[in-house]
Amino acid sequence: MGDDPRKRGGEARLLALAALYLCGHALLITLLRTHAQVVSIACVTVAAAWAAVACARRARRAGETKDWWIVALAMLLWSAGMAANLPFAATGQGAVNPGVSMLLFVLYMAPLLFVLAWRPEDPAAVRRIDGGLALVLAGLFCAIVAGHASVAGTPLENVPALRSVYDVGNAFILGLAFIRWLAGAGSPQRVLFGSLAIYASIYFAVAFYVNHVESIGPGYGVFSDLAIDFPFLVLALIASRRGRPHAEIALRRVDKVVQLASPLVLPLALLLASAHLMPSQPWLAGLGIAAAVLGYGMRTVLAQLRAQEQLERLAAVATIDALTGIANRRRFDERLASEWMSARPPAITLLLVDVDHFKAINDRVGHPGGDACLRAVAHVLGTQASRSGAFAARYGGEEFVVLVPAREEGVALALAESMREAVSGSDACRTAAGGRVTVSIGVAVARAGGTPQDLVDAADAALYRAKGAGRDRVVLHARDASSVTTAS
């Protein structure tokens, strides 16, 4: 199926609008030569603001990651940094990146690093830590800029140092964006990373040219300024596109490595910034190092805690019957083996419970009603068992099993009879099954020299006799194969 013609038409109009914007920028520089600097700075400012608006609109779409808002903030900071040149250009004070402008250009990197560092599965507490690290990083960036530039401008001898800050920051963002895109699964985040990778590639090339080649030229107000528009216009076009539904892709090993390593991004950036500040402001560098170590440590503790909780939830899911909510056969086998190893013979009695005429119940109320019946019976058995310190589980199908921590036959028989009466008199069971529900129960006591399977077989034999004797009764398996029967 081809693309929607309306979608293609909308993209063509956006592309044409971007082309017209570049032409308009060039035309204004040509026509307004005496004010070329102000006009060019204003055009670049608007281009970055356009990218910010497009990213914000993308964040508001259904199914899109809200991290587009953070990208929009980065673009807004860059736009504000360029706009800070306007008063200097309008008054003829030079317009070559005053300190405020340099500061905002560096600050714009912090939101991008934050977006590229976090993972969608991270909890809110981890994101707050990352946000705090991003703020500390922004503060260190401010200190770096303040050490090389003032509000009025940047001394020529400090320009190379600031260029190196920009180069390292831009390269860091570019490399990280590509890595996150290449290693990402099919998701809104991967689309975001791909968009940032394209933008960062163009921006890195343009910034390198402007910082290392154009900076020795006449400044703003020349046709090469159109190149500065280009990365922002491209990002605005990408953010404005209507993407296709995101297909999930299985993670490869490299994807998992990148996702696990991404929490190192902000601490590493903090360490690099701290190293830059160490000769001039060691106390501030120490603060940055402490923040990196403490932030990563807290992140690690929270990640381990979350992993432990997930393991506990998985363990619970693995041992809980999905239909009835009580323990499943696997959990029963583990519990029986544990009890058997604790003593020889163990002080336990086994009750095997079967719902009478369950097939007829299913035929009468259908499978949903049969499932409701099993849940109701499980609730009754589980409640009775917990009151007596016993352990109840679903054995399979319509059978349940109860481990009683006692070898006294009288105690086990009393509990079994209480369970039988509770099920028979349960309104919930009656409502679910569309009539009275009864159970047959086989009881067996653990014997010296036996095995867990012997105990199960004995309880099963007693249950078979209970069903053969008319159901709705409790039967105790005796060692000599005779039985004690409690009829309804």
Side-chain angles (χ1 to χ4, degrees):
M1 182 180 295
D3 292 338
D4 187 344
R6 290 177 297 180
K7 176 182 173 182
R8 293 200 305 269
E11 293 177 355
R13 285 191 293 271
L14 284 172
L15 186 59
L17 184 60
L20 286 173
Y21 189 87
L22 291 173
C23 292
H25 187 168
L27 183 61
L28 288 173
I29 291 176
T30 302
L31 296 178
L32 303 174
R33 292 305 306 166
T34 57
H35 302 287
Q37 274 196 334
V38 174
V39 168
S40 194
I41 291 171
C43 288
V44 175
T45 299
V46 172
W50 184 0
V53 171
C55 292
R57 293 183 64 184
R58 182 69 176 254
R60 296 177 61 183
R61 293 185 200 167
E64 294 290 348
T65 172
K66 300 307 178 186
D67 289 327
W68 283 100
W69 284 112
I70 304 177
V71 179
L73 172 62
M75 298 302 111
L76 196 60
L77 286 171
W78 199 99
S79 179
M82 182 55 67
N85 289 295
L86 284 171
F88 293 82
T91 57
Q93 298 180 44
V96 183
N97 294 333
V100 174
S101 176
M102 303 289 281
L103 173 64
L104 291 170
F105 286 155
V106 174
L107 285 180
Y108 122 99
M109 298 179 186
L112 295 181
L113 289 172
F114 173 74
V115 167
L116 293 168
W118 84 281
R119 300 172 297 178
E121 63 271 19
D122 287 336
V126 170
R127 296 204 68 178
R128 284 193 287 270
I129 292 175
D130 284 346
L133 292 179
L135 288 176
V136 175
L137 181 61
L140 294 184
F141 282 163
C142 291
I144 291 172
V145 174
H148 297 290
S150 65
V151 175
T154 305
L156 290 178
E157 63 272 17
N158 293 343
V159 171
L162 283 178
R163 285 175 183 166
S164 66
V165 172
Y166 291 138
D167 290 342
V168 171
N170 292 335
F172 199 69
I173 291 171
L174 171 59
L176 187 58
F178 263 110
I179 291 173
R180 291 305 303 269
W181 173 67
L182 289 173
S187 66
Q189 270 70 35
R190 188 172 192 264
V191 175
L192 173 64
F193 297 147
S195 303
L196 288 178
I198 295 172
Y199 161 78
S201 299
I202 303 171
Y203 184 88
F204 178 83
V206 171
F208 190 88
Y209 172 77
V210 170
N211 291 336
H212 295 274
V213 178
E214 187 66 25
S215 61
I216 63 176
Y220 295 111
V222 294
F223 288 110
S224 58
D225 291 350
L226 274 64
I228 307 176
D229 294 335
F230 195 63
F232 301 106
L233 295 179
V234 169
L235 181 60
L237 292 175
I238 294 174
S240 300
R241 291 189 62 192
R242 293 285 178 180
R244 296 177 180 178
H246 308 293
E248 291 296 331
I249 303 173
L251 291 178
R252 302 163 296 168
R253 181 179 293 272
V254 65
D255 304 338
K256 296 175 182 178
V257 170
V258 170
Q259 288 196 4
L260 290 174
S262 60
L264 287 168
V265 171
L266 285 172
L268 180 58
L270 277 170
L271 292 176
L272 290 174
S274 299
H276 190 281
L277 284 169
M278 184 63 73
S280 59
Q281 301 186 61
W283 67 272
L284 193 56
L287 180 63
I289 294 171
V293 173
L294 183 61
Y296 185 73
M298 292 174 62
R299 224 182 179 282
T300 302
V301 170
L302 289 174
Q304 291 179 344
L305 179 61
R306 185 166 178 261
Q308 183 64 35
E309 291 173 346
Q310 288 178 333
L311 287 175
E312 292 173 355
R313 285 195 294 269
L314 289 174
V317 169
T319 57
I320 296 297
D321 180 63
L323 176 64
T324 62
I326 63 174
N328 60 12
R329 172 70 177 271
R330 175 183 175 181
R331 182 70 184 101
F332 162 71
D333 290 340
E334 292 173 351
R335 181 67 175 265
L336 178 59
S338 175
E339 293 286 349
W340 206 270
M341 294 297 294
S342 63
R344 300 292 180 85
I348 55 173
T349 302
L350 184 64
L351 279 57
L352 199 57
V353 184
D354 183 83
V355 179
D356 295 330
H357 304 293
F358 184 70
K359 183 179 184 303
I361 294 174
N362 254 341
D363 293 341
R364 183 167 65 248
V365 297
H367 289 292
D371 291 345
C373 175
L374 291 177
R375 284 192 291 268
V377 171
H379 177 73
V380 172
L381 297 179
T383 301
Q384 292 285 321
S386 62
R387 290 174 181 171
S388 305
F391 172 80
R394 187 183 180 193
Y395 195 66
E398 65 270 22
E399 288 188 337
F400 299 86
V401 66
V402 181
L403 274 178
V404 184
R407 298 188 72 245
E408 292 80 8
E409 295 176 350
V411 173
L413 286 171
L415 176 59
E417 182 60 24
S418 174
M419 289 180 169
R420 185 192 67 79
E421 292 178 351
V423 171
S424 178
S426 169
D427 291 336
C429 294
R430 187 185 303 272
T431 299
R436 182 169 173 264
V437 178
T438 63
V439 293
S440 300
I441 304 178
V443 182
V445 180
R447 304 292 184 183
T451 65
Q453 189 58 49
D454 292 335
L455 180 61
V456 173
D457 292 342
D460 188 58
L463 175 61
Y464 181 80
R465 294 191 181 95
K467 293 166 69 176
R471 293 184 171 83
D472 190 19
R473 64 193 63 231
V474 176
V475 171
L476 172 68
H477 182 271
R479 194 172 186 181
D480 59 2
S482 62
S483 300
V484 177
T485 302
T486 303
S488 57

Short mmCIF file of all heavy atoms in Angstrom, two decimals, residues 2 4 42 64 69 76 80 124 157 191 205-206 270 316 356 362 382 395 399 410 439 452 486:
data_model
loop_
_atom_site.label_atom_id
_atom_site.label_comp_id
_atom_site.label_asym_id
_atom_site.label_seq_id
_atom_site.Cartn_x
_atom_site.Cartn_y
_atom_site.Cartn_z
N GLY A 2 0.63 2.18 -0.89
CA GLY A 2 1.43 3.40 -0.99
C GLY A 2 1.14 4.37 0.13
O GLY A 2 0.20 4.21 0.89
N ASP A 4 -0.05 7.83 1.92
CA ASP A 4 -1.22 8.68 1.77
C ASP A 4 -0.84 9.91 0.94
O ASP A 4 0.13 10.62 1.27
CB ASP A 4 -1.70 9.09 3.16
CG ASP A 4 -3.01 9.85 3.11
OD1 ASP A 4 -3.38 10.32 2.02
OD2 ASP A 4 -3.64 9.98 4.17
N ALA A 42 18.94 37.20 12.98
CA ALA A 42 17.52 37.00 13.21
C ALA A 42 17.01 35.78 12.45
O ALA A 42 16.21 34.98 12.98
CB ALA A 42 16.73 38.24 12.80
N GLU A 64 3.92 9.12 20.54
CA GLU A 64 5.29 9.62 20.43
C GLU A 64 5.90 9.81 21.82
O GLU A 64 5.21 10.10 22.78
CB GLU A 64 5.33 10.95 19.67
CG GLU A 64 4.94 10.85 18.21
CD GLU A 64 5.97 10.13 17.36
OE1 GLU A 64 7.10 9.91 17.87
OE2 GLU A 64 5.65 9.77 16.22
N TRP A 69 9.96 17.00 23.87
CA TRP A 69 9.88 18.26 24.62
C TRP A 69 11.29 18.70 25.05
O TRP A 69 11.60 19.90 25.01
CB TRP A 69 9.02 18.10 25.86
CG TRP A 69 7.54 18.08 25.62
CD1 TRP A 69 6.70 17.03 25.79
CD2 TRP A 69 6.71 19.19 25.20
NE1 TRP A 69 5.41 17.39 25.48
CE2 TRP A 69 5.39 18.71 25.12
CE3 TRP A 69 6.98 20.52 24.88
CZ2 TRP A 69 4.33 19.52 24.74
CZ3 TRP A 69 5.92 21.33 24.50
CH2 TRP A 69 4.61 20.83 24.44
N LEU A 76 15.45 25.64 21.84
CA LEU A 76 15.07 26.96 22.35
C LEU A 76 16.27 27.65 22.99
O LEU A 76 16.46 28.86 22.82
CB LEU A 76 13.93 26.81 23.35
CG LEU A 76 13.15 28.07 23.71
CD1 LEU A 76 12.50 28.66 22.46
CD2 LEU A 76 12.09 27.76 24.76
N ALA A 80 17.90 31.10 21.76
CA ALA A 80 18.12 32.22 22.67
C ALA A 80 19.58 32.67 22.64
O ALA A 80 19.89 33.87 22.73
CB ALA A 80 17.72 31.83 24.09
N ALA A 124 10.88 6.63 37.53
CA ALA A 124 10.89 8.08 37.70
C ALA A 124 12.04 8.54 38.60
O ALA A 124 12.64 9.59 38.36
CB ALA A 124 9.55 8.53 38.28
N GLU A 157 42.30 35.40 22.89
CA GLU A 157 43.18 34.33 23.34
C GLU A 157 42.41 33.15 23.96
O GLU A 157 42.95 32.05 24.12
CB GLU A 157 44.19 34.87 24.37
CG GLU A 157 43.58 35.41 25.66
CD GLU A 157 43.22 36.88 25.55
OE1 GLU A 157 43.13 37.39 24.40
OE2 GLU A 157 43.02 37.52 26.59
N VAL A 191 13.22 6.29 16.70
CA VAL A 191 12.94 7.35 15.75
C VAL A 191 13.56 8.66 16.22
O VAL A 191 14.16 9.42 15.44
CB VAL A 191 11.43 7.51 15.54
CG1 VAL A 191 11.12 8.70 14.65
CG2 VAL A 191 10.84 6.25 14.93
N ALA A 205 29.16 19.31 11.38
CA ALA A 205 29.90 19.80 10.22
C ALA A 205 29.80 21.31 10.10
O ALA A 205 30.81 22.00 9.86
CB ALA A 205 29.37 19.13 8.94
N VAL A 206 28.58 21.84 10.29
CA VAL A 206 28.39 23.29 10.18
C VAL A 206 29.13 24.02 11.30
O VAL A 206 29.82 25.03 11.06
CB VAL A 206 26.88 23.63 10.22
CG1 VAL A 206 26.66 25.13 10.32
CG2 VAL A 206 26.19 23.08 8.97
N LEU A 270 30.22 14.58 33.01
CA LEU A 270 30.59 15.34 34.21
C LEU A 270 32.08 15.22 34.50
O LEU A 270 32.75 16.21 34.86
CB LEU A 270 29.78 14.84 35.41
CG LEU A 270 28.36 15.41 35.56
CD1 LEU A 270 27.61 14.64 36.64
CD2 LEU A 270 28.42 16.88 35.92
N ALA A 316 7.21 -14.96 41.87
CA ALA A 316 5.82 -15.12 42.29
C ALA A 316 4.94 -15.60 41.13
O ALA A 316 4.09 -16.48 41.29
CB ALA A 316 5.29 -13.80 42.84
N ASP A 356 -16.39 -32.28 42.28
CA ASP A 356 -17.28 -33.33 41.76
C ASP A 356 -18.01 -32.86 40.51
O ASP A 356 -18.48 -31.71 40.44
CB ASP A 356 -18.30 -33.72 42.83
CG ASP A 356 -17.65 -34.37 44.05
OD1 ASP A 356 -16.59 -35.02 43.86
OD2 ASP A 356 -18.17 -34.21 45.18
N ASN A 362 -19.10 -27.50 33.62
CA ASN A 362 -18.64 -26.82 32.41
C ASN A 362 -19.70 -26.85 31.32
O ASN A 362 -19.93 -25.87 30.61
CB ASN A 362 -17.36 -27.46 31.90
CG ASN A 362 -16.13 -26.62 32.17
OD1 ASN A 362 -16.22 -25.42 32.43
ND2 ASN A 362 -14.96 -27.23 32.14
N GLY A 382 -8.23 -22.02 50.01
CA GLY A 382 -7.12 -21.20 50.46
C GLY A 382 -7.41 -20.52 51.79
O GLY A 382 -6.55 -20.45 52.67
N TYR A 395 -3.51 -28.43 41.89
CA TYR A 395 -2.71 -29.56 41.46
C TYR A 395 -2.79 -29.77 39.96
O TYR A 395 -1.85 -30.24 39.34
CB TYR A 395 -3.20 -30.83 42.19
CG TYR A 395 -2.23 -31.98 42.11
CD1 TYR A 395 -0.99 -31.91 42.73
CD2 TYR A 395 -2.57 -33.14 41.42
CE1 TYR A 395 -0.10 -32.97 42.67
CE2 TYR A 395 -1.68 -34.20 41.35
CZ TYR A 395 -0.45 -34.11 41.97
OH TYR A 395 0.43 -35.17 41.88
N GLU A 399 -8.43 -30.35 40.24
CA GLU A 399 -7.89 -30.92 41.47
C GLU A 399 -7.04 -29.90 42.23
O GLU A 399 -6.30 -29.11 41.62
CB GLU A 399 -7.03 -32.15 41.16
CG GLU A 399 -7.85 -33.36 40.73
CD GLU A 399 -7.00 -34.60 40.62
OE1 GLU A 399 -5.77 -34.49 40.44
OE2 GLU A 399 -7.57 -35.70 40.70
N GLY A 410 -6.71 -37.17 63.07
CA GLY A 410 -7.91 -36.45 63.47
C GLY A 410 -7.87 -34.99 63.04
O GLY A 410 -8.87 -34.43 62.58
N VAL A 439 -17.15 -31.36 46.75
CA VAL A 439 -15.79 -31.86 46.49
C VAL A 439 -15.61 -33.19 47.20
O VAL A 439 -16.24 -33.47 48.22
CB VAL A 439 -14.72 -30.87 46.98
CG1 VAL A 439 -14.75 -29.59 46.17
CG2 VAL A 439 -14.86 -30.57 48.47
N PRO A 452 7.91 -38.82 48.80
CA PRO A 452 6.85 -37.86 48.49
C PRO A 452 5.84 -38.43 47.49
O PRO A 452 4.64 -38.20 47.63
CB PRO A 452 7.62 -36.68 47.89
CG PRO A 452 8.97 -36.74 48.52
CD PRO A 452 9.25 -38.20 48.66
N THR A 486 -15.61 -40.41 55.84
CA THR A 486 -16.55 -39.45 56.44
C THR A 486 -17.52 -39.06 55.35
O THR A 486 -17.13 -38.38 54.40
CB THR A 486 -15.81 -38.22 56.98
OG1 THR A 486 -14.84 -38.65 57.92
CG2 THR A 486 -16.80 -37.27 57.64
#
